[in-house]
Amino acid sequence: MSQPILMTVDDDPAVSRSVARDLRRRYGRDYRVIRADSGADALDALREIKLRGDSVAAILADYRMPQMDGIVFLEKAMDLFPHARRALLTAYADTDAAIQAINVVDVDHYLLKPWDPPEEKLYPVIDSLVEAWLAVGDRPVEQTKLVGHRYSAPSFRIRDFLARNAVPYRWYSVDDEEGGRILQAAGACETDIPVVVTPGGTVLKQPSGGEIADAVGLSTRPAQDFYDLVVIGGGPAGLGAAVYGASEGLRTVLVERKATGGQAGTSSRIENYLGFPDGVSGAQLTDRARRQAQKFGAEVLTARDVTGLEVRGSSRVVTFGDGSEIAAHSVILASGVTYRALEAEGIEDLTGRGVYYGSAATEAPECQGEHIYIVGGANSAGQAAVFFSRHAADVTLLVRGASLEASMSHYLIEQITAIDNVHVRTHTTVVKAHGSDHLESITVCENGVTETLGTGHLFIFIGAAPRTGWLGEAILRDGHGFIRTGPDLLEDGRRPAGWLLDRDPHYLESSVPGVFVAGDVRSQSVKRVASAVGEGAMAVTLVHRYLEEQ
């Protein structure tokens, strides 16, 4: 097979030669470097490459070119090679314009000219592009097939599981002809749905998350029985801990119940995270963090439910729902939180059938032209409102409080104010959800006055509760179930009962030595992505300190 191609496009011949030279110097052994002097010439070359059946790994295009700028060119190039990774070359003066234009095309990076020395400013970016391309390449994407009912909670859970774990899949309604054909070929009937058919032809009827994970190739079983560090929870805090733990030489395994990313992974766009001036989706941030952790050697286990944690001598033993165990010198609890249930009549029965907790991005196409409602007044609700405003005809935020200012970031409030089809109703709560097979309407109460509103979609963001009941009594928690750590464990200077070490607990250490806590599940933590990542990294530093004491 011919070598995959790295293409560079720049109307300045000197720059074009320079970048091609630097690329050949580093990647010439494994990749063919092609350069073009204009977007039109580059498109002609890409068409010929497509006809020959060759593949394109990455394209670097100058932002400011006559006739066809880099954004327009990359948008056209995506039609020919959608899996090729993309980067913009830009002068410092055009940085802001380039960043704003990145929203038009899913550009992976931008590079400032000049990039001297390339070892620091060019090659790390190209390495990242090539690594991401190798994970997908230009091979046809083999898709898992899912057949189910449009308004079915089990079908929705599987769609959400596949989407959040970045498993390519295609959805078929049981009412469609093709869905019926697939069921017939699978030897299944309507009572078996949801039905999952893997690319290899394996048929799963009403499968669990673990069964799906095994069938589609997600890692679910640990490679070892004993580790230096077990991280429980795959949100920003857990991923941060896994990256730093593995990169610093600890044998690290991360265990996640559903999908990496946690609540942040469902966010349509995070705009106040350091290093992403134009924002980043939770899915993108999660994917990069997961690949980064695995690059350093961390294992990532998906669809594994942790049900117990106990001390056995110097080991900390984690028990799974199926009764199996793994042990480690230390544990970081980063299990995050789950959305609190909305206590209103009809909500529980219609969950997954028009009522959703969190930003269910898989439902976005179904919201086209619809009137939808979002319950909540914090950042997650605001991000969802901005996201769904691009799909729905109208989005209404139902806020229990008097305003958004007390709970939502200023930048989000400004965005919401500027979007014509997003509305805010304060002093408003949902008291009932109506519908038989799926949500048809909701009854709300605003300042004591009730009103029934027709809608097929209600998204709920009303605070969060920690899932910590499985920990037992040894791990001390506050009155809301969040885990107490460090100084918060000391009562009048006294260490917690059962603490046998001749020192106070470290800052992020729980009431059990060697068990640390990071992120939202920790009592009095700051509920932000950046602080969660920072706590994950800090917890690893304290793990090292604990291990040195042993």
Side-chain angles (χ1 to χ4, degrees):
M1 294 180 63
S2 60
Q3 292 176 310
I5 290 167
L6 300 176
M7 172 178 276
T8 173
V9 188
D10 199 303
D11 64 309
D12 186 329
V15 174
S16 181
R17 287 192 297 269
S18 175
V19 68
R21 180 198 64 221
D22 288 340
L23 291 176
R24 290 191 182 101
R25 183 182 302 163
R26 174 72 170 258
Y27 305 99
R29 178 177 299 179
D30 300 312
Y31 294 86
R32 188 152 48 103
V33 177
I34 293 178
R35 65 186 182 92
D37 295 330
S38 70
D41 289 345
L43 288 175
D44 288 340
L46 288 174
R47 293 186 186 100
E48 291 184 17
I49 293 167
K50 190 71 174 181
L51 291 175
R52 291 198 303 267
D54 293 338
S55 57
V56 178
I59 304 172
L60 284 72
D62 182 39
Y63 171 65
R64 188 183 290 275
M65 293 188 293
Q67 284 80 52
M68 185 185 300
D69 65 34
I71 289 291
V72 174
F73 161 71
L74 287 175
E75 191 170 18
K76 294 179 181 295
M78 286 176 65
D79 295 334
L80 294 168
F81 291 94
H83 299 301
R85 313 317 295 179
R86 298 164 291 278
L88 275 177
L89 302 173
T90 181
Y92 182 79
D94 293 327
T95 300
D96 290 342
I99 291 174
Q100 293 173 9
I102 281 173
N103 273 335
V104 179
V105 181
D106 186 16
V107 174
D108 299 284
H109 290 278
Y110 72 91
L111 282 162
L112 288 176
K113 298 186 290 187
W115 49 82
D116 187 58
E119 289 78 12
E120 295 180 11
K121 298 183 178 180
L122 175 65
Y123 296 152
V125 171
I126 304 302
D127 287 345
S128 175
L129 295 177
V130 167
E131 179 185 339
W133 177 80
L134 287 172
V136 178
D138 269 337
R139 302 176 300 278
V141 178
E142 295 183 320
Q143 292 183 327
T144 295
K145 300 178 180 66
L146 169 61
V147 183
H149 282 298
R150 167 67 186 88
Y151 292 108
S152 161
S155 295
F156 168 74
R157 282 195 293 269
I158 294 178
R159 291 169 63 194
D160 191 56
F161 178 85
L162 292 171
R164 292 188 59 191
N165 281 287
V167 177
Y169 78 97
R170 185 167 182 179
W171 159 258
Y172 298 88
S173 170
V174 69
D175 299 320
D176 296 337
E177 289 185 8
E178 186 62 19
R181 294 189 191 104
I182 294 172
L183 282 184
Q184 184 178 10
C189 59
E190 285 197 34
T191 57
D192 296 320
I193 61 174
V195 171
V196 173
V197 182
T198 69
T202 301
V203 176
L204 305 174
K205 301 175 182 179
Q206 299 180 359
S208 66
E211 290 171 331
I212 298 171
D214 284 333
V216 300
L218 298 175
S219 180
T220 61
R221 293 175 175 81
Q224 306 175 48
D225 295 325
F226 196 90
Y227 295 83
D228 295 316
L229 172 63
V230 175
V231 180
I232 300 175
L239 287 167
V243 167
Y244 281 91
S247 68
E248 294 174 10
L250 297 178
R251 291 171 298 169
T252 302
V253 59
L254 182 149
V255 183
E256 168 57 42
R257 292 178 64 223
K258 294 182 179 178
T260 50
Q263 287 189 357
T266 67
S267 176
S268 56
R269 198 153 203 86
I270 302 168
E271 297 194 60
N272 58 352
Y273 186 62
L274 184 68
F276 292 89
D278 200 49
V280 61
S281 73
Q284 289 174 318
L285 186 64
T286 296
D287 178 64
R288 293 181 182 188
R290 181 180 62 245
R291 287 192 284 114
Q292 191 174 15
Q294 291 173 325
K295 181 184 85 169
F296 287 121
E299 291 181 45
V300 178
L301 307 183
T302 305
R304 296 307 302 266
D305 193 14
V306 176
T307 58
L309 172 63
E310 61 179 291
V311 176
R312 295 181 191 168
S314 61
S315 300
R316 305 296 178 260
V317 180
V318 173
T319 305
F320 296 119
D322 61 2
S324 60
E325 299 177 341
I326 55 174
H329 290 301
S330 58
V331 172
I332 294 178
L333 300 173
S335 51
V337 293
T338 57
Y339 288 111
R340 283 196 173 92
L342 177 61
E343 300 294 335
E345 184 180 348
I347 290 293
E348 184 177 356
D349 291 339
L350 293 170
T351 298
R353 297 186 290 145
V355 175
Y356 306 97
Y357 286 90
S359 183
T362 53
E363 288 298 303
E366 304 298 331
C367 296
Q368 195 70 39
E370 299 292 321
H371 299 271
I372 74 168
Y373 292 84
I374 296 173
V375 182
N379 277 9
S380 53
Q383 290 162 354
V386 173
F387 171 71
F388 283 112
S389 70
R390 307 185 191 112
H391 302 271
D394 283 287
V395 178
T396 301
L397 273 167
L398 305 176
V399 183
R400 182 176 58 182
S403 69
L404 295 174
E405 279 73 11
S407 54
M408 188 178 293
S409 294
H410 178 68
Y411 81 92
L412 265 177
I413 296 175
E414 287 190 325
Q415 285 187 19
I416 288 171
T417 303
I419 300 174
D420 291 338
N421 65 333
V422 176
H423 315 286
V424 180
R425 292 180 61 167
T426 57
H427 298 294
T428 304
T429 58
V430 175
V431 295
K432 188 174 182 179
H434 310 268
S436 52
D437 293 334
H438 61 89
L439 179 69
E440 297 173 2
S441 63
I442 59 174
T443 297
V444 301
C445 179
E446 181 177 356
N447 290 319
V449 179
T450 59
E451 177 184 4
T452 298
L453 309 166
T455 183
H457 292 86
L458 178 69
F459 300 91
I460 301 170
F461 304 81
I462 56 167
R467 183 181 170 273
T468 54
W470 60 273
L471 285 170
E473 297 180 359
I475 303 290
L476 298 182
R477 283 151 280 172
D478 64 19
H480 300 288
F482 293 91
I483 303 172
R484 296 165 56 190
T485 60
D488 191 36
L489 291 168
L490 303 179
E491 299 286 349
D492 297 325
R494 292 174 297 171
R495 296 163 185 162
W499 185 270
L500 303 179
L501 300 183
D502 189 23
R503 63 165 177 81
D504 290 344
H506 294 308
Y507 182 70
L508 297 180
E509 196 168 21
S510 73
S511 53
V512 173
V515 176
F516 297 84
V517 189
D520 289 358
V521 75
R522 187 176 69 83
S523 179
Q524 302 184 52
S525 65
V526 178
K527 306 300 189 282
R528 289 290 185 268
V529 174
S531 61
V533 173
E535 286 192 5
M538 181 179 177
V540 171
T541 299
L542 298 175
V543 164
H544 281 294
R545 189 178 303 175
Y546 167 78
L547 294 177
E548 291 169 358
E549 297 167 350
Q550 302 308 300

